[in-house]
Amino acid sequence: MKIPIIIDCDPGVDDALAIILALRHPKVDLKAVCTVTGNGDLENTTKNGLKILSLCGREDIPLYKGSGKGLDDKQPDTVPAFGDDGLGGYAHVVQTDKQIEQENAVDFLLRAADESNGEITLFATGPCTNIARAIRKDKEFPKKFKKLIVMGGAKYTGNMSPVAEYNFWADPLAAKEVMNAGFHEIVMIGLDVTNKIALGADIREILRMFDTDLSRFIYNITRVGLEENWETRRKPVAPMHDVLTVAYLIDESILTLKKANIDVVAEGIGRGQSIVDIGGHWSDGNCNALYAAEVDVEKFYKLFLTTIFKENEQEILEYLR
Ligand code: RIB
Ligand code: CA
């Protein structure tokens, strides 16, 4: 049986990759996409979400527009990591007539929770605002999902400050409320592992040579991220953080998880920092989440590439061997 999922996101190059991987894998049933401000303002991330669904020929999947402002009622700073349009300057290439649904993302999430029978896995690959707003409206909301898989936080690093990752930093109160809301299971996939799966220049070049619509799209949207990493860190790699959430759903053995108690700093110098207490050492053994400690990078690439480019499977396997 297929696994039903909803992705709440801020597309975004890596959100786009997460959606594409979900749509290309036979095990995954993407029920809906919700959008939030993040890799661009809400209009921008929403437009990108519509374009990605159209690109993949899945206009039938509904897209719900969510929160433009954080829980503090201010628009969070957007990140230019993927260019002004959020898709590496390449968004204009995809045309779409697809429209958003009339229902707001928060109302949709509340309805989906009620109709879920506890079977839906919820993904958060952007700031947690929509999900936190749903929880504020219905305290039982978390219990109505199978689990939450969130790209956010980190134990040992940050990308907005020495200690804070963007999704948690953008709406830290939302992240805090979501982590402490009582989901049956939360898997927190943070920078400690997502930094390790950044797309290297060699594999990106192979995508160019595959020369399909999708491979050209991924090649082009990852250019800005790669150049930014080269300029700032002398590393020719493009960020792909969010895609690891869907890869984990498909093959859990890609990640090594550790039980942990995870909280988020809502304000001050540590704003957005995730405090990861492995084993609940400082919390009387209580753990509210699973923390992604390690990633099997080779296994990830095998899954990611052979799922999205099935027709090139042999070449991929030979290259990775
Ligand atoms: O810090 C990484 C996260 O923020 C990802 O979700 C990515 O889309 C970025 O905006
Ligand atoms: Ca994202």
Side-chain angles (χ1 to χ4, degrees):
M1 213 183 78
K2 286 187 166 214
I3 308 169
I5 70 167
I6 293 171
I7 300 184
D8 187 84
C9 59
D10 62 336
V13 167
D14 55 342
D15 303 81
L17 296 175
I19 293 170
I20 293 169
L21 182 61
L23 292 176
R24 296 284 283 185
H25 201 281
K27 202 166 142 181
V28 184
D29 179 13
L30 179 58
K31 296 281 187 202
V33 173
C34 299
T35 55
V36 66
T37 296
N39 289 305
D41 64 25
L42 183 62
E43 294 306 319
N44 198 193
T45 57
T46 301
K47 215 183 317 149
N48 289 344
L50 294 169
K51 287 183 179 208
I52 294 152
L53 291 171
S54 287
L55 176 80
C56 296
R58 293 304 306 270
E59 272 114 347
D60 57 306
I61 296 176
L63 184 141
Y64 299 86
K65 183 169 152 183
S67 309
K69 293 179 177 171
L71 291 188
D72 61 2
D73 220 25
K74 295 184 189 134
Q75 176 176 310
D77 287 350
T78 55
V79 275
F82 302 119
D84 290 343
D85 66 358
L87 287 180
Y90 209 69
H92 66 280
V93 170
V94 186
Q95 302 300 325
T96 181
D97 294 328
K98 181 170 167 55
Q99 301 292 317
I100 58 166
E101 302 300 310
Q102 286 312 305
E103 196 177 16
N104 175 275
V106 177
D107 294 330
F108 162 71
L109 285 171
L110 288 161
R111 182 168 61 80
D114 286 336
E115 294 168 1
S116 156
N117 291 324
E119 283 166 11
I120 293 182
T121 296
L122 184 58
F123 283 72
T125 64
C128 296
T129 319
N130 291 336
I131 299 172
R133 283 198 205 285
I135 294 165
R136 283 186 174 192
K137 287 192 172 177
D138 176 9
K139 292 280 169 271
E140 294 305 308
F141 175 84
K143 294 272 178 262
K144 298 175 184 173
F145 289 93
K146 187 165 180 207
K147 62 175 106 167
L148 171 72
I149 302 180
V150 55
M151 190 284 131
K155 180 167 170 60
Y156 296 108
T157 186
N159 58 7
M160 292 305 289
S161 82
V163 295
E165 177 281 329
Y166 176 75
N167 289 339
F168 283 11
W169 177 91
D171 194 345
L173 189 56
K176 184 180 182 62
E177 292 186 11
V178 167
M179 292 309 294
N180 290 301
F183 280 90
H184 293 300
E185 185 176 316
I186 298 180
V187 182
M188 188 193 96
I189 301 178
L191 297 175
D192 303 310
V193 284
T194 64
N195 278 340
K196 295 186 179 156
I197 57 132
L199 183 70
D202 54 346
I203 294 186
R204 185 167 169 268
E205 201 55 25
I206 291 170
L207 298 187
R208 187 184 62 78
M209 291 188 287
F210 284 169
D211 202 25
T212 65
D213 285 352
L214 205 51
S215 78
R216 273 196 306 274
F217 180 73
I218 297 177
Y219 176 80
N220 284 308
I221 63 173
T222 50
R223 182 181 56 82
V224 169
L226 184 127
E227 286 176 357
E228 150 90 7
N229 268 323
W230 175 251
E231 287 302 320
T232 54
R233 299 179 189 84
R234 288 286 177 257
K235 292 210 167 121
V237 295
M240 295 218 296
H241 308 284
D242 297 335
V243 75
L244 193 51
T245 59
V246 175
Y248 164 74
L249 177 86
I250 297 166
D251 181 355
E252 294 190 354
S253 72
I254 282 176
L255 294 176
T256 305
L257 303 178
K258 292 188 177 174
K259 282 188 179 170
N261 202 56
I262 302 178
D263 207 339
V264 179
V265 179
E267 57 192 357
I269 191 172
R271 170 191 164 153
Q273 178 177 15
S274 46
I275 309 290
V276 181
D277 173 15
I278 292 178
H281 182 76
W282 302 94
S283 337
D284 296 327
N286 292 319
C287 293
N288 60 359
L290 294 162
Y291 159 71
E294 303 286 345
V295 55
D296 185 330
V297 177
E298 234 178 274
K299 207 180 249 187
F300 162 76
Y301 268 101
K302 196 167 165 184
L303 171 80
F304 170 65
L305 293 172
T306 59
T307 301
I308 298 191
F309 306 105
K310 286 191 193 80
E311 51 292 344
N312 300 96
E313 184 166 356
Q314 277 320 311
E315 293 157 83
I316 293 163
L317 295 177
E318 269 176 51
Y319 175 76
L320 293 177
R321 199 173 294 140

